[in-house]
Amino acid sequence: MDRPIRVTVWNEFIHERRDESVRAIYPRGMHAVIGDALVRELGERVTVRHATLDMPEHGLTDEVLEATDVLTWWGHWAHQDVSDEIVAKVVDRVRRGMGLVVLHSAHFSKVFRTLMGTSCRLRWRGGEDRELVWTVNPAHPIARDVPVPIVIPEQEMYGEFFDIPAPDELVFVSSFSGGEVFRSGCCFYRGHGKIFYFSPGDQEYPVYHHPAVGRVLANGVEWTAPAAGVLGSEYAPELCETGWYDEEIAKQGAAQAEALAAEAKAGVR
């Protein structure tokens, strides 16, 4: 991509206003800390805007979505309050190539459940727990420069079974002090779009201040960002009449012959 990745960081922004314990950790909102982490890690390779539930159209107008390469999504308390119309637009945009980074309890968001086609339910336990995030695919771009393991001293427990389709690529698994394990870094492809789900990030703990978590988020944004020319119309069935293949091969052959002739004339060969 020959320009900065345009990221929209979406957040319910409810807990930070309602709960003093959360406001003490994220006085400007979790979206502000996530956005700061992306700018810190990616610098001029990214531009960030914020959108929250209480904005008109949840901050996700047609203009905003069409100007977004990657959308990050944090939700928990108000999944049901997200407009079905906005959900449909986000899902369509992902299928047309927009990247989506789904965070923590947004596994149960309408957007993620629609794209997964499953309940996305899981086991959980509130209260302080230690989470170790283990890299299981060190060659994956999202694992670049990520310590092994990431140690998160305080976090909510998420455990298996996690009712999602088998990830197209699994990058991280987490373990907890109770013996539970969880697929905490999962990659999916939908249409032209890429999705990364990353589970650490309960609102009661300063997880998004963790530098290694910021590195994962930045890597996730870069990985889900569409390649040049990808973002556009959703792939649709195309009627192929008999003989289309021969016509296409002839067209490509003529183009190649023309290119070779031009090179010969220019003295390249």
Side-chain angles (χ1 to χ4, degrees):
M1 187 172 291
D2 58 0
R3 55 167 172 73
I5 301 169
R6 303 168 300 178
V7 181
T8 298
V9 178
W10 194 89
N11 177 26
E12 281 182 355
F13 199 28
I14 292 176
H15 288 287
E16 303 94 316
R17 293 167 168 172
R18 187 192 64 186
D19 303 329
E20 181 57 40
S21 59
V22 180
R23 185 162 53 249
I25 301 169
Y26 299 108
R28 297 181 297 132
M30 280 180 282
H31 52 284
V33 174
I34 292 169
D36 289 349
L38 296 178
V39 172
R40 181 185 69 243
E41 296 291 336
L42 298 177
E44 295 181 354
R45 303 199 304 277
V46 69
T47 61
V48 173
R49 79 168 80 207
H50 300 119
T52 56
L53 180 68
D54 61 331
M55 291 179 175
E57 300 184 61
H58 310 322
L60 300 175
T61 63
D62 290 343
E63 293 75 17
V64 168
L65 285 175
E66 290 300 318
T68 297
D69 297 314
V70 177
L71 175 66
T72 75
W73 192 281
W74 194 99
H76 175 241
W77 187 259
H79 298 313
Q80 71 283 353
D81 294 337
V82 177
S83 159
D84 289 342
E85 180 181 1
I86 298 301
V87 169
K89 289 181 178 181
V90 170
V91 168
D92 172 70
R93 181 70 172 165
V94 171
R95 289 172 175 158
R96 290 192 289 119
M98 181 182 73
L100 179 66
V101 177
V102 179
L103 301 172
H104 191 55
S105 47
H107 70 87
F108 212 53
S109 64
K110 291 180 182 179
V111 167
F112 191 62
R113 285 189 291 133
T114 299
L115 287 163
M116 295 298 103
T118 58
S119 76
C120 299
R121 295 181 183 276
L122 46 76
R123 299 175 66 139
W124 64 277
R125 180 175 59 250
E128 297 178 5
D129 205 326
R130 185 193 67 178
E131 178 175 2
L132 301 179
V133 183
W134 299 93
T135 298
V136 296
N137 188 351
H140 199 282
I142 296 179
R144 188 182 72 252
D145 298 328
V146 174
V148 182
I150 302 173
V151 179
I152 302 177
E154 296 178 321
Q155 168 66 340
E156 180 182 28
M157 186 281 290
Y158 276 6
E160 298 288 347
F161 175 60
F162 185 18
D163 185 20
I164 54 173
D168 294 306
E169 297 166 6
L170 182 63
V171 184
F172 305 112
V173 298
S174 288
S175 60
F176 295 85
S177 58
E180 300 87 1
V181 295
F182 187 71
R183 290 168 290 172
S184 54
C186 305
C187 299
F188 305 91
Y189 297 84
R190 293 293 183 271
H192 292 297
K194 292 184 284 186
I195 303 165
F196 175 54
Y197 170 72
F198 189 58
S199 65
D202 183 77
Q203 69 278 357
E204 294 290 344
Y205 309 106
V207 176
Y208 294 123
H209 291 284
H210 196 305
V213 170
R215 179 70 257 168
V216 171
L217 298 182
N219 289 348
V221 162
E222 288 197 300
W223 181 79
T224 57
V230 169
L231 204 55
S233 300
E234 182 178 1
Y235 181 79
E238 181 180 354
L239 176 63
C240 296
E241 300 286 0
T242 301
W244 75 269
Y245 179 79
D246 295 332
E247 293 176 4
E248 181 63 26
I249 294 301
K251 185 194 308 179
Q252 292 183 24
Q256 185 177 21
E258 184 178 342
L260 289 172
E263 289 180 359
K265 185 177 181 180
V268 175
R269 291 175 180 266

